[in-house]
PDB file of all heavy atoms in Angstrom:
ATOM      1  N   GLY A 117      12.488 -84.985 -52.614  1.00 80.00           N
ATOM      2  CA  GLY A 117      13.796 -85.646 -52.702  1.00 80.00           C
ATOM      3  C   GLY A 117      14.064 -86.139 -54.105  1.00 80.00           C
ATOM      4  O   GLY A 117      15.146 -85.975 -54.669  1.00 80.00           O
ATOM      5  N   VAL A 118      13.031 -86.750 -54.719  1.00 83.00           N
ATOM      6  CA  VAL A 118      13.160 -87.225 -56.081  1.00 83.00           C
ATOM      7  C   VAL A 118      13.330 -86.043 -57.063  1.00 83.00           C
ATOM      8  O   VAL A 118      14.172 -86.059 -57.992  1.00 83.00           O
ATOM      9  CB  VAL A 118      11.943 -88.069 -56.511  1.00 83.00           C
ATOM     10  CG1 VAL A 118      11.969 -88.402 -58.000  1.00 83.00           C
ATOM     11  CG2 VAL A 118      11.967 -89.372 -55.683  1.00 83.00           C
ATOM     12  N   VAL A 119      12.536 -84.975 -56.888  1.00 88.00           N
ATOM     13  CA  VAL A 119      12.645 -83.766 -57.722  1.00 88.00           C
ATOM     14  C   VAL A 119      14.031 -83.193 -57.565  1.00 88.00           C
ATOM     15  O   VAL A 119      14.672 -82.791 -58.581  1.00 88.00           O
ATOM     16  CB  VAL A 119      11.539 -82.746 -57.363  1.00 88.00           C
ATOM     17  CG1 VAL A 119      11.821 -81.376 -57.979  1.00 88.00           C
ATOM     18  CG2 VAL A 119      10.191 -83.272 -57.762  1.00 88.00           C
ATOM     19  N   ALA A 120      14.548 -83.109 -56.354  1.00 86.00           N
ATOM     20  CA  ALA A 120      15.872 -82.582 -56.137  1.00 86.00           C
ATOM     21  C   ALA A 120      16.929 -83.399 -56.834  1.00 86.00           C
ATOM     22  O   ALA A 120      17.862 -82.862 -57.425  1.00 86.00           O
ATOM     23  CB  ALA A 120      16.165 -82.519 -54.592  1.00 86.00           C
ATOM     24  N   ASP A 121      16.775 -84.699 -56.741  1.00 85.00           N
ATOM     25  CA  ASP A 121      17.761 -85.592 -57.369  1.00 85.00           C
ATOM     26  C   ASP A 121      17.741 -85.456 -58.879  1.00 85.00           C
ATOM     27  O   ASP A 121      18.801 -85.360 -59.499  1.00 85.00           O
ATOM     28  CB  ASP A 121      17.427 -87.043 -56.946  1.00 85.00           C
ATOM     29  CG  ASP A 121      18.586 -87.958 -57.295  1.00 85.00           C
ATOM     30  OD1 ASP A 121      19.720 -87.676 -56.842  1.00 85.00           O
ATOM     31  OD2 ASP A 121      18.348 -88.937 -58.015  1.00 85.00           O
ATOM     32  N   VAL A 122      16.587 -85.484 -59.478  1.00 89.00           N
ATOM     33  CA  VAL A 122      16.493 -85.327 -60.938  1.00 89.00           C
ATOM     34  C   VAL A 122      17.067 -83.975 -61.401  1.00 89.00           C
ATOM     35  O   VAL A 122      17.816 -83.907 -62.371  1.00 89.00           O
ATOM     36  CB  VAL A 122      15.037 -85.536 -61.420  1.00 89.00           C
ATOM     37  CG1 VAL A 122      14.858 -85.142 -62.878  1.00 89.00           C
ATOM     38  CG2 VAL A 122      14.585 -86.979 -61.174  1.00 89.00           C
ATOM     39  N   SER A 123      16.707 -82.939 -60.729  1.00 90.00           N
ATOM     40  CA  SER A 123      17.196 -81.636 -61.051  1.00 90.00           C
ATOM     41  C   SER A 123      18.736 -81.515 -60.956  1.00 90.00           C
ATOM     42  O   SER A 123      19.402 -81.036 -61.847  1.00 90.00           O
ATOM     43  CB  SER A 123      16.562 -80.543 -60.172  1.00 90.00           C
ATOM     44  OG  SER A 123      17.068 -79.265 -60.450  1.00 90.00           O
ATOM     45  N   SER A 124      19.264 -82.031 -59.861  1.00 87.00           N
ATOM     46  CA  SER A 124      20.707 -81.922 -59.665  1.00 87.00           C
ATOM     47  C   SER A 124      21.429 -82.882 -60.656  1.00 87.00           C
ATOM     48  O   SER A 124      22.512 -82.497 -61.115  1.00 87.00           O
ATOM     49  CB  SER A 124      21.040 -82.322 -58.237  1.00 87.00           C
ATOM     50  OG  SER A 124      20.540 -81.363 -57.355  1.00 87.00           O
ATOM     51  N   LEU A 125      20.849 -84.018 -60.948  1.00 89.00           N
ATOM     52  CA  LEU A 125      21.502 -84.876 -61.934  1.00 89.00           C
ATOM     53  C   LEU A 125      21.527 -84.221 -63.304  1.00 89.00           C
ATOM     54  O   LEU A 125      22.453 -84.383 -64.090  1.00 89.00           O
ATOM     55  CB  LEU A 125      20.817 -86.263 -61.997  1.00 89.00           C
ATOM     56  CG  LEU A 125      21.099 -87.169 -60.823  1.00 89.00           C
ATOM     57  CD1 LEU A 125      20.259 -88.465 -60.922  1.00 89.00           C
ATOM     58  CD2 LEU A 125      22.578 -87.533 -60.727  1.00 89.00           C
ATOM     59  N   ALA A 126      20.464 -83.504 -63.636  1.00 91.00           N
ATOM     60  CA  ALA A 126      20.430 -82.754 -64.895  1.00 91.00           C
ATOM     61  C   ALA A 126      21.542 -81.702 -64.919  1.00 91.00           C
ATOM     62  O   ALA A 126      22.275 -81.513 -65.943  1.00 91.00           O
ATOM     63  CB  ALA A 126      19.096 -82.081 -65.123  1.00 91.00           C
ATOM     64  N   GLY A 127      21.750 -80.976 -63.782  1.00 90.00           N
ATOM     65  CA  GLY A 127      22.825 -80.027 -63.704  1.00 90.00           C
ATOM     66  C   GLY A 127      24.182 -80.673 -63.867  1.00 90.00           C
ATOM     67  O   GLY A 127      25.075 -80.106 -64.488  1.00 90.00           O
ATOM     68  N   LEU A 128      24.390 -81.847 -63.205  1.00 88.00           N
ATOM     69  CA  LEU A 128      25.672 -82.512 -63.363  1.00 88.00           C
ATOM     70  C   LEU A 128      25.912 -82.947 -64.804  1.00 88.00           C
ATOM     71  O   LEU A 128      27.010 -82.891 -65.314  1.00 88.00           O
ATOM     72  CB  LEU A 128      25.705 -83.759 -62.428  1.00 88.00           C
ATOM     73  CG  LEU A 128      25.770 -83.460 -60.935  1.00 88.00           C
ATOM     74  CD1 LEU A 128      25.600 -84.744 -60.132  1.00 88.00           C
ATOM     75  CD2 LEU A 128      27.091 -82.799 -60.579  1.00 88.00           C
ATOM     76  N   ALA A 129      24.822 -83.440 -65.473  1.00 89.00           N
ATOM     77  CA  ALA A 129      24.983 -83.837 -66.864  1.00 89.00           C
ATOM     78  C   ALA A 129      25.329 -82.677 -67.782  1.00 89.00           C
ATOM     79  O   ALA A 129      26.205 -82.788 -68.658  1.00 89.00           O
ATOM     80  CB  ALA A 129      23.714 -84.507 -67.340  1.00 89.00           C
ATOM     81  N   VAL A 130      24.708 -81.523 -67.529  1.00 88.00           N
ATOM     82  CA  VAL A 130      25.034 -80.338 -68.306  1.00 88.00           C
ATOM     83  C   VAL A 130      26.466 -79.950 -68.106  1.00 88.00           C
ATOM     84  O   VAL A 130      27.222 -79.648 -69.045  1.00 88.00           O
ATOM     85  CB  VAL A 130      24.066 -79.177 -67.991  1.00 88.00           C
ATOM     86  CG1 VAL A 130      24.564 -77.893 -68.643  1.00 88.00           C
ATOM     87  CG2 VAL A 130      22.660 -79.501 -68.448  1.00 88.00           C
ATOM     88  N   TRP A 131      26.904 -79.955 -66.815  1.00 86.00           N
ATOM     89  CA  TRP A 131      28.301 -79.557 -66.561  1.00 86.00           C
ATOM     90  C   TRP A 131      29.301 -80.530 -67.227  1.00 86.00           C
ATOM     91  O   TRP A 131      30.284 -80.087 -67.828  1.00 86.00           O
ATOM     92  CB  TRP A 131      28.569 -79.527 -65.047  1.00 86.00           C
ATOM     93  CG  TRP A 131      29.950 -79.064 -64.754  1.00 86.00           C
ATOM     94  CD1 TRP A 131      31.100 -79.833 -64.646  1.00 86.00           C
ATOM     95  CD2 TRP A 131      30.420 -77.729 -64.565  1.00 86.00           C
ATOM     96  NE1 TRP A 131      32.194 -79.016 -64.382  1.00 86.00           N
ATOM     97  CE2 TRP A 131      31.813 -77.734 -64.370  1.00 86.00           C
ATOM     98  CE3 TRP A 131      29.738 -76.518 -64.610  1.00 86.00           C
ATOM     99  CZ2 TRP A 131      32.521 -76.577 -64.137  1.00 86.00           C
ATOM    100  CZ3 TRP A 131      30.499 -75.369 -64.408  1.00 86.00           C
ATOM    101  CH2 TRP A 131      31.870 -75.415 -64.192  1.00 86.00           C
ATOM    102  N   ALA A 132      29.018 -81.816 -67.103  1.00 83.00           N
ATOM    103  CA  ALA A 132      29.938 -82.819 -67.691  1.00 83.00           C
ATOM    104  C   ALA A 132      30.041 -82.638 -69.208  1.00 83.00           C
ATOM    105  O   ALA A 132      31.089 -82.910 -69.782  1.00 83.00           O
ATOM    106  CB  ALA A 132      29.523 -84.209 -67.321  1.00 83.00           C
ATOM    107  N   SER A 133      28.943 -82.254 -69.838  1.00 81.00           N
ATOM    108  CA  SER A 133      28.943 -82.116 -71.266  1.00 81.00           C
ATOM    109  C   SER A 133      29.542 -80.816 -71.805  1.00 81.00           C
ATOM    110  O   SER A 133      30.046 -80.773 -72.932  1.00 81.00           O
ATOM    111  CB  SER A 133      27.553 -82.310 -71.848  1.00 81.00           C
ATOM    112  OG  SER A 133      26.723 -81.252 -71.421  1.00 81.00           O
ATOM    113  N   VAL A 134      29.498 -79.781 -71.001  1.00 76.00           N
ATOM    114  CA  VAL A 134      30.017 -78.456 -71.485  1.00 76.00           C
ATOM    115  C   VAL A 134      31.063 -77.911 -70.495  1.00 76.00           C
ATOM    116  O   VAL A 134      31.192 -76.692 -70.403  1.00 76.00           O
ATOM    117  CB  VAL A 134      28.866 -77.471 -71.696  1.00 76.00           C
ATOM    118  CG1 VAL A 134      27.988 -77.877 -72.780  1.00 76.00           C
ATOM    119  CG2 VAL A 134      28.110 -77.217 -70.417  1.00 76.00           C
ATOM    120  N   LYS A 135      31.799 -78.761 -69.848  1.00 70.00           N
ATOM    121  CA  LYS A 135      32.752 -78.279 -68.859  1.00 70.00           C
ATOM    122  C   LYS A 135      33.899 -77.463 -69.469  1.00 70.00           C
ATOM    123  O   LYS A 135      34.607 -76.776 -68.777  1.00 70.00           O
ATOM    124  CB  LYS A 135      33.343 -79.437 -68.019  1.00 70.00           C
ATOM    125  CG  LYS A 135      34.179 -80.409 -68.793  1.00 70.00           C
ATOM    126  CD  LYS A 135      34.673 -81.489 -67.918  1.00 70.00           C
ATOM    127  CE  LYS A 135      35.313 -82.601 -68.666  1.00 70.00           C
ATOM    128  NZ  LYS A 135      36.324 -82.258 -69.628  1.00 70.00           N
ATOM    129  N   ASP A 136      34.052 -77.580 -70.759  1.00 64.00           N
ATOM    130  CA  ASP A 136      35.117 -76.851 -71.459  1.00 64.00           C
ATOM    131  C   ASP A 136      34.674 -75.441 -71.958  1.00 64.00           C
ATOM    132  O   ASP A 136      35.210 -74.988 -72.948  1.00 64.00           O
ATOM    133  CB  ASP A 136      35.637 -77.679 -72.598  1.00 64.00           C
ATOM    134  CG  ASP A 136      36.202 -79.006 -72.083  1.00 64.00           C
ATOM    135  OD1 ASP A 136      36.811 -78.988 -71.027  1.00 64.00           O
ATOM    136  OD2 ASP A 136      36.058 -80.026 -72.800  1.00 64.00           O
ATOM    137  N   PHE A 137      33.714 -74.827 -71.275  1.00 65.00           N
ATOM    138  CA  PHE A 137      33.239 -73.550 -71.753  1.00 65.00           C
ATOM    139  C   PHE A 137      34.256 -72.462 -71.620  1.00 65.00           C
ATOM    140  O   PHE A 137      34.222 -71.447 -72.253  1.00 65.00           O
ATOM    141  CB  PHE A 137      31.916 -73.172 -71.095  1.00 65.00           C
ATOM    142  CG  PHE A 137      32.023 -72.888 -69.610  1.00 65.00           C
ATOM    143  CD1 PHE A 137      32.228 -71.604 -69.163  1.00 65.00           C
ATOM    144  CD2 PHE A 137      31.908 -73.933 -68.688  1.00 65.00           C
ATOM    145  CE1 PHE A 137      32.341 -71.371 -67.780  1.00 65.00           C
ATOM    146  CE2 PHE A 137      32.010 -73.676 -67.338  1.00 65.00           C
ATOM    147  CZ  PHE A 137      32.216 -72.393 -66.873  1.00 65.00           C
ATOM    148  N   ILE A 138      35.214 -72.620 -70.658  1.00 63.00           N
ATOM    149  CA  ILE A 138      36.317 -71.651 -70.542  1.00 63.00           C
ATOM    150  C   ILE A 138      37.516 -72.286 -71.250  1.00 63.00           C
ATOM    151  O   ILE A 138      37.950 -73.390 -70.868  1.00 63.00           O
ATOM    152  CB  ILE A 138      36.617 -71.353 -69.067  1.00 63.00           C
ATOM    153  CG1 ILE A 138      35.417 -70.702 -68.416  1.00 63.00           C
ATOM    154  CG2 ILE A 138      37.847 -70.463 -68.953  1.00 63.00           C
ATOM    155  CD1 ILE A 138      35.599 -70.391 -66.986  1.00 63.00           C
ATOM    156  N   PRO A 139      38.096 -71.637 -72.225  1.00 63.00           N
ATOM    157  CA  PRO A 139      39.241 -72.222 -72.948  1.00 63.00           C
ATOM    158  C   PRO A 139      40.492 -72.258 -72.165  1.00 63.00           C
ATOM    159  O   PRO A 139      41.355 -71.337 -72.259  1.00 63.00           O
ATOM    160  CB  PRO A 139      39.322 -71.325 -74.208  1.00 63.00           C
ATOM    161  CG  PRO A 139      38.780 -70.008 -73.752  1.00 63.00           C
ATOM    162  CD  PRO A 139      37.739 -70.268 -72.722  1.00 63.00           C
ATOM    163  N   ILE A 140      40.702 -73.295 -71.325  1.00 63.00           N
ATOM    164  CA  ILE A 140      41.940 -73.355 -70.536  1.00 63.00           C
ATOM    165  C   ILE A 140      42.698 -74.612 -70.850  1.00 63.00           C
ATOM    166  O   ILE A 140      43.542 -75.064 -70.101  1.00 63.00           O
ATOM    167  CB  ILE A 140      41.631 -73.295 -69.008  1.00 63.00           C
ATOM    168  CG1 ILE A 140      40.737 -74.504 -68.603  1.00 63.00           C
ATOM    169  CG2 ILE A 140      41.012 -72.014 -68.659  1.00 63.00           C
ATOM    170  CD1 ILE A 140      40.584 -74.625 -67.077  1.00 63.00           C
ATOM    171  N   GLY A 141      42.452 -75.232 -71.973  1.00 65.00           N
ATOM    172  CA  GLY A 141      43.213 -76.404 -72.344  1.00 65.00           C
ATOM    173  C   GLY A 141      42.497 -77.693 -71.861  1.00 65.00           C
ATOM    174  O   GLY A 141      41.302 -77.737 -71.685  1.00 65.00           O
ATOM    175  N   GLN A 142      43.290 -78.692 -71.651  1.00 71.00           N
ATOM    176  CA  GLN A 142      42.796 -80.001 -71.228  1.00 71.00           C
ATOM    177  C   GLN A 142      42.212 -79.885 -69.813  1.00 71.00           C
ATOM    178  O   GLN A 142      42.865 -79.349 -68.911  1.00 71.00           O
ATOM    179  CB  GLN A 142      43.900 -81.051 -71.253  1.00 71.00           C
ATOM    180  CG  GLN A 142      43.452 -82.443 -71.033  1.00 71.00           C
ATOM    181  CD  GLN A 142      42.610 -82.963 -72.189  1.00 71.00           C
ATOM    182  OE1 GLN A 142      42.491 -82.351 -73.242  1.00 71.00           O
ATOM    183  NE2 GLN A 142      41.974 -84.127 -71.985  1.00 71.00           N
TER     184      GLN A 142
END
Side-chain angles (χ1 to χ4, degrees):
V118 170
V119 168
D121 193 56
V122 169
S123 177
S124 295
L125 286 175
L128 290 172
V130 169
W131 183 271
S133 65
V134 296
K135 66 180 171 51
D136 298 324
F137 66 93
I138 297 178
I140 61 170
Q142 189 68 9

